[in-house]
Protein backbone atom coordinates (compact mmCIF):
# COMPACT_ATOMS: atom_id res chain seq x y z
CA UNK A 1 0.00 0.00 0.00
CA UNK A 2 1.44 3.34 -1.05
CA UNK A 3 1.04 6.16 1.48
CA UNK A 4 0.40 9.61 0.04
CA UNK A 5 3.04 11.91 1.55
CA UNK A 6 4.76 13.70 -1.35
CA UNK A 7 7.66 14.30 -1.79
CA UNK A 8 8.44 11.42 0.60
CA UNK A 9 7.72 8.02 -0.94
CA UNK A 10 6.30 5.56 1.59
CA UNK A 11 5.03 2.03 1.03
CA UNK A 12 3.55 -0.22 3.71
CA UNK A 13 3.55 -3.97 3.08
CA UNK A 14 0.95 -6.41 4.42
CA UNK A 15 3.45 -7.68 7.03
CA UNK A 16 3.98 -4.06 8.21
CA UNK A 17 7.37 -3.68 6.61
CA UNK A 18 7.79 -0.02 5.71
CA UNK A 19 9.78 1.18 2.73
CA UNK A 20 10.93 4.80 2.67
CA UNK A 21 12.26 5.99 -0.68
CA UNK A 22 12.42 2.33 -1.77
CA UNK A 23 14.54 1.22 1.19
CA UNK A 24 13.25 -0.98 4.02
CA UNK A 25 13.23 1.00 7.26
CA UNK A 26 13.90 -0.92 10.47
CA UNK A 27 11.35 -0.22 13.25
CA UNK A 28 11.33 -0.29 17.01
CA UNK A 29 8.50 -2.71 17.80
CA UNK A 30 6.35 -2.48 20.92
CA UNK A 31 5.12 -5.98 21.82
CA UNK A 32 2.19 -6.99 23.99
CA UNK A 33 4.51 -8.17 26.78
CA UNK A 34 5.74 -4.55 27.03
CA UNK A 35 2.17 -3.21 27.27
CA UNK A 36 0.87 -5.33 30.15
CA UNK A 37 1.20 -2.48 32.63
CA UNK A 38 -1.34 -0.33 30.80
CA UNK A 39 -3.95 -2.65 29.25
CA UNK A 40 -7.51 -2.72 30.58
CA UNK A 41 -8.11 -6.50 30.59
CA UNK A 42 -5.13 -8.37 32.00
CA UNK A 43 -6.78 -11.77 31.53
CA UNK A 44 -7.43 -11.12 27.85
CA UNK A 45 -3.83 -9.97 27.42
CA UNK A 46 -2.45 -13.14 28.99
CA UNK A 47 -4.43 -15.25 26.52
CA UNK A 48 -2.76 -13.57 23.55
CA UNK A 49 0.75 -14.17 22.29
CA UNK A 50 3.07 -12.13 24.49
CA UNK A 51 5.26 -11.26 21.51
CA UNK A 52 2.34 -9.94 19.45
CA UNK A 53 3.47 -6.66 17.79
CA UNK A 54 1.19 -3.85 18.96
CA UNK A 55 2.80 -1.03 17.01
CA UNK A 56 5.84 -0.15 14.93
CA UNK A 57 7.92 3.03 15.37
CA UNK A 58 10.05 4.08 12.40
CA UNK A 59 12.47 6.76 13.62
CA UNK A 60 14.04 9.31 11.27
CA UNK A 61 11.96 8.11 8.31
CA UNK A 62 13.13 10.87 5.98
CA UNK A 63 14.73 11.42 2.60
CA UNK A 64 18.52 11.57 2.84
CA UNK A 65 18.56 14.95 1.13
CA UNK A 66 16.33 16.37 3.87
CA UNK A 67 18.66 15.40 6.73
CA UNK A 68 20.43 18.76 6.75
CA UNK A 69 17.29 20.90 7.06
CA UNK A 70 15.86 18.69 9.81
CA UNK A 71 19.13 18.75 11.73
CA UNK A 72 19.50 22.52 11.28
CA UNK A 73 16.04 22.98 12.76
CA UNK A 74 16.65 20.39 15.51
CA UNK A 75 13.61 18.31 14.55
CA UNK A 76 13.01 14.61 13.94
CA UNK A 77 10.48 13.04 11.59
CA UNK A 78 9.01 9.62 12.48
CA UNK A 79 6.31 7.28 11.24
CA UNK A 80 4.25 5.00 13.50
CA UNK A 81 1.97 2.14 12.42
CA UNK A 82 -0.73 0.58 14.63
CA UNK A 83 -2.39 -2.60 13.30
CA UNK A 84 -6.13 -3.03 13.89
CA UNK A 85 -6.75 -5.33 16.87
CA UNK A 86 -8.33 -5.51 20.29
CA UNK A 87 -7.14 -6.87 23.63
CA UNK A 88 -10.44 -8.16 24.91
CA UNK A 89 -12.71 -5.12 24.48
CA UNK A 90 -9.94 -2.52 24.34
CA UNK A 91 -8.73 -1.10 21.05
CA UNK A 92 -5.05 -1.20 20.16
CA UNK A 93 -3.12 1.76 21.50
CA UNK A 94 0.33 3.13 22.24
CA UNK A 95 1.75 2.94 25.75
CA UNK A 96 1.38 6.63 26.54
CA UNK A 97 3.96 9.17 27.64
CA UNK A 98 4.72 12.72 28.65
CA UNK A 99 7.53 14.82 27.20
CA UNK A 100 10.71 16.19 28.66
CA UNK A 101 10.65 19.79 29.87
CA UNK A 102 11.67 22.47 27.36
CA UNK A 103 11.48 25.31 29.92
CA UNK A 104 11.09 25.31 33.69
CA UNK A 105 7.30 25.07 33.30
CA UNK A 106 6.53 23.75 29.80
CA UNK A 107 7.33 20.45 28.11
CA UNK A 108 8.09 19.98 24.42
CA UNK A 109 5.03 19.90 22.10
CA UNK A 110 4.59 17.44 19.23
CA UNK A 111 2.79 17.42 15.89
CA UNK A 112 1.03 14.31 14.57
CA UNK A 113 -0.58 13.74 11.18
CA UNK A 114 -2.77 10.82 10.13
CA UNK A 115 -1.46 9.51 6.79
CA UNK A 116 -3.81 6.52 6.54
CA UNK A 117 -6.75 5.31 8.61
CA UNK A 118 -8.25 6.99 11.66
CA UNK A 119 -6.90 7.81 15.10
CA UNK A 120 -8.16 8.76 18.51
CA UNK A 121 -5.73 10.68 20.69
CA UNK A 122 -6.29 10.55 24.44
CA UNK A 123 -4.69 13.72 25.79
CA UNK A 124 -4.42 14.47 29.50
CA UNK A 125 -2.94 17.35 31.45
CA UNK A 126 -1.63 16.93 34.98
CA UNK A 127 -2.51 19.37 37.78
CA UNK A 128 1.21 20.11 38.02
CA UNK A 129 4.41 18.56 36.73
CA UNK A 130 4.95 16.85 40.11
CA UNK A 131 1.39 15.52 40.34
CA UNK A 132 0.18 12.12 39.17
CA UNK A 133 -3.43 13.31 38.91
CA UNK A 134 -4.98 15.00 35.88
CA UNK A 135 -7.00 18.18 35.46
CA UNK A 136 -8.20 17.82 31.85
CA UNK A 137 -8.73 14.86 29.50
CA UNK A 138 -9.55 15.10 25.78
CA UNK A 139 -10.38 12.39 23.27
CA UNK A 140 -9.56 13.84 19.86
CA UNK A 141 -10.64 12.16 16.62
CA UNK A 142 -8.42 12.52 13.55
CA UNK A 143 -8.99 11.07 10.09
CA UNK A 144 -6.57 10.78 7.18
CA UNK A 145 -5.16 14.21 6.38
CA UNK A 146 -5.80 15.63 9.86
CA UNK A 147 -3.04 16.91 12.12
CA UNK A 148 -2.94 17.11 15.91
CA UNK A 149 -0.92 19.56 17.99
CA UNK A 150 0.04 17.98 21.32
CA UNK A 151 0.34 21.02 23.61
CA UNK A 152 2.98 21.41 26.33
CA UNK A 153 2.42 19.44 29.55
CA UNK A 154 -0.01 16.98 27.97
CA UNK A 155 0.55 13.24 28.06
CA UNK A 156 -0.89 11.33 25.15
CA UNK A 157 -1.96 7.91 23.89
CA UNK A 158 -2.80 7.03 20.28
CA UNK A 159 -5.67 4.60 19.70
CA UNK A 160 -6.63 2.71 16.54
CA UNK A 161 -10.35 2.01 16.85
CA UNK A 162 -10.83 1.21 13.15
CA UNK A 163 -10.74 -2.01 11.14
CA UNK A 164 -7.64 -1.07 9.12
CA UNK A 165 -4.06 -0.04 9.91
CA UNK A 166 -3.34 3.41 11.29
CA UNK A 167 -0.31 5.14 9.77
CA UNK A 168 0.73 8.46 11.25
CA UNK A 169 3.78 10.68 11.21
CA UNK A 170 5.15 13.07 13.77
CA UNK A 171 7.53 15.98 13.97
CA UNK A 172 9.19 16.58 17.31
CA UNK A 173 12.27 18.18 18.86
CA UNK A 174 15.13 15.85 17.98
CA UNK A 175 16.71 15.25 21.40
CA UNK A 176 13.85 15.13 23.87
CA UNK A 177 13.12 12.01 25.91
CA UNK A 178 9.73 10.45 26.66
CA UNK A 179 8.56 9.83 30.22
CA UNK A 180 6.39 6.71 30.53
CA UNK A 181 6.39 6.55 34.33
CA UNK A 182 2.98 8.08 35.08
CA UNK A 183 1.22 5.76 32.65
CA UNK A 184 3.06 2.79 34.12
CA UNK A 185 2.28 3.81 37.71
CA UNK A 186 -1.38 4.54 36.91
CA UNK A 187 -1.84 1.46 34.71
CA UNK A 188 -2.66 3.54 31.64
CA UNK A 189 -4.41 6.78 30.80
CA UNK A 190 -7.29 8.35 32.70
CA UNK A 191 -9.74 6.51 30.40
CA UNK A 192 -9.74 3.17 28.60
CA UNK A 193 -11.33 3.29 25.14
CA UNK A 194 -13.36 0.10 24.76
CA UNK A 195 -15.59 -1.18 21.96
CA UNK A 196 -18.79 0.17 23.53
CA UNK A 197 -17.71 2.75 26.11
CA UNK A 198 -14.97 4.92 27.54
CA UNK A 199 -14.28 3.62 31.03
CA UNK A 200 -12.59 5.64 33.75
CA UNK A 201 -9.32 4.32 35.10
CA UNK A 202 -9.98 3.79 38.81
CA UNK A 203 -6.29 4.06 39.64
CA UNK A 204 -6.67 7.83 39.36
CA UNK A 205 -8.14 9.51 42.46
CA UNK A 206 -10.50 11.70 40.43
CA UNK A 207 -11.06 11.54 36.68
CA UNK A 208 -12.31 14.71 34.96
CA UNK A 209 -15.13 14.67 32.43
CA UNK A 210 -13.96 13.43 29.05
CA UNK A 211 -14.09 16.17 26.38
CA UNK A 212 -14.49 14.82 22.85
CA UNK A 213 -13.82 16.80 19.68
CA UNK A 214 -12.22 16.54 16.27
CA UNK A 215 -8.59 17.40 15.59
CA UNK A 216 -9.18 20.66 13.72
CA UNK A 217 -11.33 22.02 16.54
CA UNK A 218 -8.76 21.02 19.14
CA UNK A 219 -5.88 22.62 17.23
CA UNK A 220 -7.81 25.87 16.94
CA UNK A 221 -8.19 26.17 20.69
CA UNK A 222 -4.46 25.49 21.10
CA UNK A 223 -3.39 28.18 18.62
CA UNK A 224 -5.79 29.27 15.84
CA UNK A 225 -3.15 30.97 13.68
CA UNK A 226 -0.70 28.06 13.69
CA UNK A 227 -3.60 25.61 13.26
CA UNK A 228 -4.81 27.41 10.14
CA UNK A 229 -1.33 27.48 8.60
CA UNK A 230 -0.84 23.79 9.29
CA UNK A 231 -3.98 22.93 7.33
CA UNK A 232 -2.38 24.18 4.08
CA UNK A 233 -0.72 20.85 3.16
CA UNK A 234 0.92 17.75 4.60
CA UNK A 235 3.47 18.20 7.36
CA UNK A 236 6.53 16.90 5.53
CA UNK A 237 6.18 19.09 2.45
CA UNK A 238 5.04 22.08 4.52
CA UNK A 239 8.11 21.80 6.73
CA UNK A 240 10.43 21.80 3.71
CA UNK A 241 8.75 24.98 2.44
CA UNK A 242 8.40 26.81 5.76
CA UNK A 243 10.52 25.29 8.55
CA UNK A 244 10.06 28.35 10.79
CA UNK A 245 6.37 27.55 11.08
CA UNK A 246 7.41 24.54 13.17
CA UNK A 247 9.47 26.54 15.67
CA UNK A 248 6.67 25.98 18.21
CA UNK A 249 7.94 22.40 18.54
CA UNK A 250 11.06 23.83 20.19
CA UNK A 251 9.45 26.86 21.83
CA UNK A 252 6.34 25.79 23.73
CA UNK A 253 5.53 29.36 24.80
CA UNK A 254 4.09 29.80 21.30
CA UNK A 255 1.26 27.36 22.05
CA UNK A 256 0.94 27.35 25.84
CA UNK A 257 -2.42 25.74 26.59
CA UNK A 258 -4.50 28.05 28.80
CA UNK A 259 -8.01 26.59 28.57
CA UNK A 260 -9.50 26.16 32.05
CA UNK A 261 -10.51 22.66 33.17
CA UNK A 262 -14.14 21.69 32.47
Amino acid sequence: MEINNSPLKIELKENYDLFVEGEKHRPDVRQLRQMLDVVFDQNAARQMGQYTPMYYMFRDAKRKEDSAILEANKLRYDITVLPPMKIGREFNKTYGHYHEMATSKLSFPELYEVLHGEAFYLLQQKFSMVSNEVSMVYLVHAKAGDKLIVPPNFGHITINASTGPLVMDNLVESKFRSDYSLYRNKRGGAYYVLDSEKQKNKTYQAVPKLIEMDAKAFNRIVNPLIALKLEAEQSYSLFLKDPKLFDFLKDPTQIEFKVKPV
Side-chain angles (χ1 to χ4, degrees):
M1 174 176 62
E2 291 187 0
I3 306 296
N4 178 29
N5 196 28
S6 180
L8 189 65
K9 296 179 181 178
I10 305 171
E11 185 178 6
L12 181 67
K13 302 292 188 180
E14 290 184 2
N15 61 356
Y16 297 105
D17 283 343
L18 190 81
F19 288 79
V20 178
E21 296 294 302
E23 294 186 9
K24 185 177 178 180
H25 204 85
R26 180 173 294 182
D28 294 327
V29 182
R30 181 81 70 173
Q31 298 173 334
L32 178 57
R33 64 188 178 90
Q34 299 166 303
M35 297 283 292
L36 295 177
D37 291 331
V38 298
V39 299
F40 173 74
D41 189 336
Q42 296 289 311
N43 290 329
R46 293 189 188 99
Q47 294 173 18
M48 296 176 61
Q50 297 300 289
Y51 293 93
T52 300
M54 305 304 292
Y55 57 100
Y56 304 80
M57 299 168 285
F58 300 88
R59 307 295 190 195
D60 287 312
K62 60 184 183 295
R63 299 188 307 177
K64 292 179 181 178
E65 59 263 42
D66 300 327
S67 296
I69 189 171
L70 283 161
E71 290 172 7
N73 286 275
K74 299 180 180 180
L75 296 179
R76 192 184 73 224
Y77 179 82
D78 309 321
I79 294 173
T80 302
V81 180
L82 281 79
M85 70 175 75
K86 287 193 290 187
I87 305 172
R89 295 171 52 212
E90 185 177 20
F91 292 107
N92 192 16
K93 65 182 181 181
T94 59
Y95 193 99
H97 65 267
Y98 283 83
H99 291 178
E100 190 174 24
M101 302 302 288
T103 70
S104 61
K105 296 183 178 181
L106 298 173
S107 65
F108 284 105
E110 190 165 5
L111 179 67
Y112 283 100
E113 179 181 28
V114 177
L115 300 175
H116 178 84
E118 294 184 57
F120 285 93
Y121 295 97
L122 186 69
L123 302 163
Q124 58 187 55
Q125 185 182 52
K126 295 190 288 186
F127 279 105
S128 70
M129 294 315 293
V130 296
S131 173
N132 281 336
E133 300 301 322
V134 296
S135 57
M136 287 187 286
V137 187
Y138 289 85
L139 187 65
V140 181
H141 178 233
K143 60 185 184 299
D146 287 341
K147 301 178 181 68
L148 173 77
I149 301 171
V150 179
N153 300 349
F154 272 80
H156 54 98
I157 294 171
T158 304
I159 300 157
N160 182 3
S162 67
T163 57
L166 166 61
V167 183
M168 62 183 184
D169 66 11
N170 68 276
L171 276 163
V172 68
E173 196 273 340
S174 59
K175 301 298 182 183
F176 94 94
R177 293 171 293 180
S178 299
D179 181 2
Y180 299 91
S181 59
L182 182 140
Y183 288 92
R184 182 169 56 250
N185 295 338
K186 290 292 189 178
R187 304 202 63 82
Y191 283 85
Y192 297 105
V193 179
L194 311 179
D195 52 13
S196 59
E197 62 179 315
K198 289 91 175 178
Q199 188 163 131
K200 292 181 178 180
N201 182 343
K202 297 179 181 179
T203 310
Y204 291 79
Q205 291 181 7
V207 178
K209 177 183 176 181
L210 185 64
I211 306 168
E212 300 188 48
M213 63 177 60
D214 64 48
K216 288 183 179 179
F218 183 81
N219 291 341
R220 287 170 183 167
I221 65 173
V222 175
N223 186 296
L225 181 59
I226 290 177
L228 182 61
K229 291 180 178 180
L230 287 172
E231 291 175 13
E233 58 185 283
Q234 289 182 287
S235 296
Y236 196 93
S237 58
L238 187 58
F239 168 75
L240 295 178
K241 292 179 180 178
D242 186 9
K244 291 300 179 183
L245 172 60
F246 298 82
D247 280 351
F248 71 90
L249 295 171
K250 299 169 290 182
D251 178 13
T253 62
Q254 294 187 25
I255 55 166
E256 185 175 356
F257 196 90
K258 296 181 180 179
V259 175
K260 295 180 180 179
V262 175

